[in-house]
Amino acid sequence: MLEEKNDNLQEADGKLEINAIDSTQTNVSTEISGLEAAPENVITVEENDIESTDNSHQVALDAIANSNAEESEDETLKERNDIPMQDYNTFSLDALVDELKKLINIDKVMSVKDHIEEIKKAFLLHYNHLLEEKKEEFNASNQDPNEEFEYHSPLKSKFDEYYNVFREKRNAHFKHLQTNLKSNLENRLAIVEELKELINPQENIKDTLKHFNDLRDRWRNAGAIPKDKYNHVWNNYHFHVENFYDYLHLDREARDLDFKYNLEQKQKIISRVEALVNETDITKSFRELQDLHRIWKEDIGPVSKEHRDAIWNKFSELTKKIHDKREVLFESQRANEQQNLEVKKEIIAKIEVLGTEKVNSHSQWLVQIQKVEALRNEFFAAGKVPSEVNEETWASFKTAVRNFNSFKNSFYKDIKKDQNDNLNKKMALVAKAKELQESTDFAATTPIMKQIQEEWKQIGHVPKKYSDKIWKEFKDACNHYFDKLKEHKSEENVDEVAAFDNKKAYLDTLRNYQLTGDHKTDLDAIKLHIETWKGFGKVPFTRRHIEGKFNKILDALFDKLSLSKKETDMMRFSNRIDSLSESNDSRKLDNEKIFLMRKIEEVQNEIFQLENNIQFFTNTKNAKKENSIVLEVRKNIAIHKESLAVWKDKLKQLRNLNQE
């Protein structure tokens, strides 16, 4: 450090030195008046000469140590921005891409490199998780062992594009930086060597001082040097500056002016640090403190010995206060991180439970999947956890989600097997529909086509990638057949309309028909009317009411004939059955058959009951004398037997019709 000397310089020399000091004062004052936050760690000349008696003070000073050396290597690290560092883990993939796009367009992109690297970590974290889920879904649904998993995301492509822009800017910056560091180091070492050479008694003191001031200006503008050389080169420089002062034996006035100016500048720094102690933004205060340490060391020279220890101790005390507040902030952040850890553990536990709850339907699994997705979003929104457990927490989360997906996929694998069985069944129906689609035997084919359509409805889902294709094939085959059927019916409708017109005209003539009174002649005439009516053919379904009108006329004619009840009943039945047969309504014919069988059974049971009753009366004492009750029962039995014969004849006629 400088020692006080009694020797005096010439007046002109002293004035020259004072001017140099004033020039320095202007530069330093400008820096102090516009102080900004800066990184960590500067060691001043005084630090090397003062051993701290308080280890906590030294910890505070070490907290500001080497990062200033790092910033001297890359001056862009000194650049500040107003963009806060956010918890990018809580951002969605879209939001991360948008944020990256915004940051790479900042002019001095290296000032936000930490932001960009955090965005990269968060994006890869989310994207890799998404990729794992997509791969698990692929493995669960893929039936082809030769098909490899592929997944392409437009978001990933955009992110890579933007990050490559940043990487190119960063590489260009570091390439330029490395070129300059070596050159700047050589310049600074050369300046130190020139300082050594200033100690030359043969040189005019005025020229020496001018040379000294030039060297100081060159030093200030020499630029950044490698951080591993920073402290050594700076200490060397200050050492030889002090040696130069000692060698010149500066007069007290000039030296005191220099010391006074340096003291004032350091007092300004202390005043600013005192204000920073009360700042609410601890991070901003700490970064500005780093800048002030750099100015203290790099831009301001020594002070007199009487003030040296006191002012340094004051500065280090204030530094410790800000450092302690920063540690309290860190403790609070660590407490928040611990709370976030507990939240994430609870989320993981909930996902683990969902990974064991068995559900048995697709709709229920959709609910479970939505629950896990909500928990997944909560996990990413929960914030940072302590760094020492970050990897472990992330691994537990991934394991819980993976186990859930495996549990879910086992359900869908079973569904997949069922779907493949359904696929085989539907493919068989498709083949059958294609086989029948060209058939012209509409009476036989139509019920079959309707049946396979019903079977199709009863079969469950098939694998999604086959669903549309196989449905189209089946629908096309069915549509092809029913379109042909529709065309055929359209052709038939022409004949049916003609039959209706003929029957309507014939019905009008039949209403005025009168019987001759001759039984055989009238019976033959009625039978001829029936045959003529049948010969007209079927009428449209919507106009079948005309058949009922014809039957009413027949009933009236039969009533006028002297026919037995059985003959009349059978003729009416024959006419009705013929009508049903012409309509091809097999359902109604089957219903008629069931009705006849039921009536036969009822009459037989009634006859059986009546015969039992007769036996009861004939076994009594008056058996030979049949009373009126017995006679009535025998009459009922005879009536029922006649009725039974009619019902059996009707059933026989219906069965013969079916055989035809």
Side-chain angles (χ1 to χ4, degrees):
M1 303 298 275
L2 290 178
E3 296 179 1
E4 295 191 13
K5 304 294 181 182
N6 295 323
D7 298 32
N8 295 325
L9 288 175
Q10 295 178 359
E11 184 178 358
D13 297 336
K15 288 179 180 178
L16 180 63
E17 178 61 18
I18 290 170
N19 290 336
I21 292 171
D22 289 341
S23 172
T24 304
Q25 183 175 0
T26 301
N27 293 335
V28 175
S29 298
T30 300
E31 286 199 63
I32 294 177
S33 63
L35 290 178
E36 295 182 354
E40 307 170 3
N41 305 359
V42 151
I43 304 176
T44 68
V45 176
E46 283 89 340
E47 280 186 69
N48 294 331
D49 296 336
I50 299 174
E51 293 184 4
S52 175
T53 57
D54 187 347
N55 287 336
S56 64
H57 282 204
Q58 192 59 45
V59 170
L61 295 172
D62 289 342
I64 307 176
N66 299 322
S67 74
N68 277 346
E70 183 177 351
E71 290 181 2
S72 74
E73 178 180 72
D74 186 356
E75 292 182 343
T76 59
L77 297 179
K78 300 177 186 178
E79 299 167 355
R80 302 298 178 201
N81 61 74
D82 296 328
I83 302 175
M85 180 69 75
Q86 303 186 61
D87 186 359
Y88 293 113
N89 283 331
T90 63
F91 282 38
S92 67
L93 290 174
D94 288 306
L96 289 170
V97 172
D98 291 341
E99 189 73 8
L100 177 61
K101 181 181 180 181
K102 180 175 71 176
L103 292 180
I104 63 171
N105 289 320
I106 292 176
D107 290 338
K108 297 179 180 180
V109 73
M110 291 303 293
S111 67
V112 290
K113 73 177 184 67
D114 292 338
H115 296 68
I116 291 176
E117 292 303 329
E118 287 299 316
I119 288 174
K120 179 185 177 183
K121 290 179 185 177
F123 184 89
L124 293 179
L125 188 71
H126 292 344
Y127 183 75
N128 288 336
H129 183 68
L130 174 65
L131 204 62
E132 288 179 3
E133 290 184 346
K134 295 295 182 183
K135 189 171 184 179
E136 288 177 356
E137 290 177 5
F138 171 81
N139 291 334
S141 61
N142 183 39
Q143 301 295 317
D144 186 357
N146 297 320
E147 186 178 354
E148 295 184 358
F149 170 73
E150 290 184 6
Y151 180 72
H152 301 287
S153 169
L155 278 176
K156 181 64 164 60
S157 300
K158 282 187 179 180
F159 181 87
D160 291 342
E161 176 187 344
Y162 297 149
Y163 189 80
N164 285 338
V165 172
F166 164 71
R167 188 163 53 188
E168 289 172 3
K169 289 184 177 182
R170 182 188 62 188
N171 292 343
H173 168 79
F174 282 123
K175 185 176 181 181
H176 177 73
L177 180 66
Q178 292 301 321
T179 303
N180 289 340
L181 288 177
K182 183 177 179 182
S183 174
N184 294 342
L185 177 61
E186 292 173 355
N187 289 339
R188 288 190 184 272
L189 291 176
I191 290 171
V192 172
E193 291 301 319
E194 288 187 52
L195 275 174
K196 293 180 185 179
E197 299 299 325
L198 284 180
I199 304 176
N200 185 357
Q202 307 301 322
E203 188 172 323
N204 182 280
I205 189 64
K206 184 176 180 179
D207 293 337
T208 300
L209 285 174
K210 184 176 183 301
H211 191 185
F212 174 72
N213 289 333
D214 288 342
L215 289 175
R216 289 206 302 185
D217 289 339
R218 284 168 55 195
W219 181 266
R220 291 191 193 99
N221 300 317
I225 62 174
K227 63 181 180 180
D228 59 328
K229 308 291 184 184
Y230 176 79
N231 283 324
H232 174 73
V233 173
W234 267 100
N235 290 338
N236 248 350
Y237 169 73
H238 283 295
F239 174 78
H240 290 295
V241 167
E242 291 174 11
N243 274 351
F244 177 73
Y245 277 128
D246 290 343
Y247 170 73
L248 289 180
H249 302 288
L250 292 176
D251 66 285
R252 182 179 298 275
E253 182 181 358
R255 185 187 59 189
D256 287 349
L257 283 174
D258 194 11
F259 284 164
K260 181 181 178 183
Y261 163 74
N262 294 339
L263 179 62
E264 289 173 352
Q265 297 307 305
K266 292 188 174 182
Q267 286 173 337
K268 288 181 180 179
I269 289 178
I270 288 175
S271 296
R272 179 58 187 155
V273 176
E274 287 175 336
L276 290 179
V277 170
N278 298 318
E279 275 281 350
T280 56
D281 190 340
I282 307 301
T283 302
K284 182 179 178 182
S285 298
F286 188 79
R287 290 193 306 195
E288 188 172 339
L289 178 65
Q290 291 173 281
D291 277 340
L292 294 175
H293 268 266
R294 185 188 302 108
I295 294 170
W296 184 289
K297 174 179 180 179
E298 298 180 10
D299 296 333
I300 304 176
V303 300
S304 62
K305 286 186 176 180
E306 61 182 295
H307 298 296
R308 193 169 299 163
D309 290 347
I311 199 167
W312 170 248
N313 288 337
K314 179 71 171 176
F315 186 43
S316 62
E317 281 283 351
L318 293 170
T319 297
K320 181 179 180 299
K321 288 182 180 180
I322 295 178
H323 179 269
D324 290 346
K325 291 182 70 175
R326 183 170 178 251
E327 284 300 306
V328 171
L329 176 64
F330 284 169
E331 284 298 325
S332 174
Q333 290 175 345
R334 282 190 283 269
N336 289 336
E337 289 176 354
Q338 190 63 38
Q339 290 179 356
N340 295 341
L341 175 61
E342 296 303 319
V343 170
K344 289 192 172 184
K345 283 182 176 179
E346 290 179 7
I347 292 171
I348 292 170
K350 290 178 181 178
I351 296 175
E352 288 174 342
V353 171
L354 290 173
T356 59
E357 291 180 353
K358 190 172 182 179
V359 293
N360 297 313
S361 70
H362 174 64
S363 59
Q364 290 177 327
W365 271 111
L366 288 179
V367 174
Q368 298 294 86
I369 292 169
Q370 289 173 356
K371 288 180 181 178
V372 171
E373 185 62 24
L375 290 171
R376 180 177 176 273
N377 292 334
E378 287 180 27
F379 181 88
F380 288 125
K384 292 183 178 179
V385 300
S387 57
E388 63 270 16
V389 295
N390 185 54
E391 290 297 328
E392 177 186 348
T393 306
W394 173 241
S396 298
F397 173 70
K398 285 199 299 182
T399 300
V401 174
R402 186 180 297 113
N403 290 341
F404 171 80
N405 287 334
S406 298
F407 189 53
K408 173 195 69 178
N409 292 339
S410 64
F411 169 78
Y412 283 104
K413 282 180 181 177
D414 294 337
I415 287 183
K416 199 70 179 178
K417 181 179 179 302
D418 294 338
Q419 289 182 346
N420 285 329
D421 292 340
N422 295 338
L423 176 63
N424 293 331
K425 293 176 182 177
K426 288 193 172 182
M427 287 177 67
L429 293 181
V430 169
K432 194 171 183 180
K434 286 183 175 180
E435 180 184 343
L436 296 173
Q437 66 179 349
E438 299 295 343
S439 174
T440 56
D441 186 359
F442 299 110
T445 305
T446 301
I448 299 175
M449 291 296 285
K450 290 182 178 180
Q451 179 62 33
I452 64 175
Q453 285 181 324
E454 287 299 319
E455 290 180 18
W456 182 279
K457 294 176 183 178
Q458 300 304 318
I459 300 173
H461 295 288
V462 302
K464 188 175 181 180
K465 62 180 177 179
Y466 300 112
S467 178
D468 292 342
K469 178 177 179 293
I470 195 170
W471 165 243
K472 184 177 184 304
E473 291 181 12
F474 182 71
K475 182 177 68 173
D476 289 348
C478 291
N479 287 347
H480 180 78
Y481 172 79
F482 284 106
D483 286 344
K484 288 181 63 177
L485 177 62
K486 186 176 180 180
E487 292 175 5
H488 175 71
K489 284 188 175 182
S490 296
E491 294 173 358
E492 285 186 336
N493 283 343
V494 176
D495 297 334
E496 289 177 357
V497 171
F500 174 78
D501 292 337
N502 292 332
K503 285 188 175 183
K504 183 179 179 183
Y506 191 75
L507 193 64
D508 292 337
T509 62
L510 195 59
R511 283 195 181 98
N512 299 321
Y513 176 75
Q514 296 294 328
L515 296 177
T516 63
D518 182 72
H519 175 76
K520 184 176 184 308
T521 302
D522 290 337
L523 182 58
D524 291 340
I526 292 174
K527 289 181 178 178
L528 181 59
H529 287 313
I530 293 173
E531 291 301 321
T532 303
W533 184 269
K534 290 180 181 178
F536 291 135
K538 291 193 299 181
V539 299
F541 182 80
T542 55
R543 300 183 181 184
R544 290 194 60 204
H545 59 276
I546 199 170
E547 300 291 342
K549 293 181 179 180
F550 177 69
N551 288 332
K552 285 184 179 180
I553 292 175
L554 285 183
D555 288 342
L557 293 175
F558 284 136
D559 289 340
K560 293 178 181 180
L561 286 176
S562 56
L563 293 175
S564 66
K565 185 176 183 301
K566 179 178 180 181
E567 287 177 321
T568 303
D569 200 6
M570 288 302 298
M571 289 189 71
R572 288 174 176 171
F573 178 76
S574 296
N575 186 55
R576 194 162 71 85
I577 292 303
D578 288 342
S579 297
L580 292 177
S581 178
E582 289 176 1
S583 67
N584 290 322
D585 195 336
S586 59
R587 183 177 60 83
K588 287 187 177 181
L589 289 171
D590 289 340
N591 289 341
E592 186 69 24
K593 181 180 178 181
I594 293 171
F595 172 75
L596 292 174
M597 293 173 68
R598 186 179 298 121
K599 292 301 294 184
I600 290 172
E601 184 178 1
E602 288 177 3
V603 174
Q604 285 177 336
N605 289 336
E606 187 66 24
I607 292 172
F608 178 76
Q609 184 63 42
L610 291 172
E611 288 178 343
N612 282 342
N613 292 341
I614 287 292
Q615 289 179 4
F616 172 76
F617 284 107
T618 56
N619 289 331
T620 62
K621 295 180 179 180
N622 299 321
K624 292 181 180 180
K625 296 180 181 180
E626 293 185 348
N627 57 31
S628 59
I629 296 176
V630 174
L631 293 174
E632 185 65 27
V633 171
R634 291 190 185 279
K635 182 179 178 182
N636 284 340
I637 291 174
I639 293 171
H640 279 85
K641 285 185 177 181
E642 287 179 8
S643 174
L644 179 61
V646 173
W647 290 121
K648 286 184 176 181
D649 287 343
K650 288 181 179 180
L651 181 60
K652 182 178 180 182
Q653 184 177 342
L654 183 58
R655 284 174 173 169
N656 291 337
L657 179 65
N658 289 337
Q659 290 176 1
E660 292 175 0

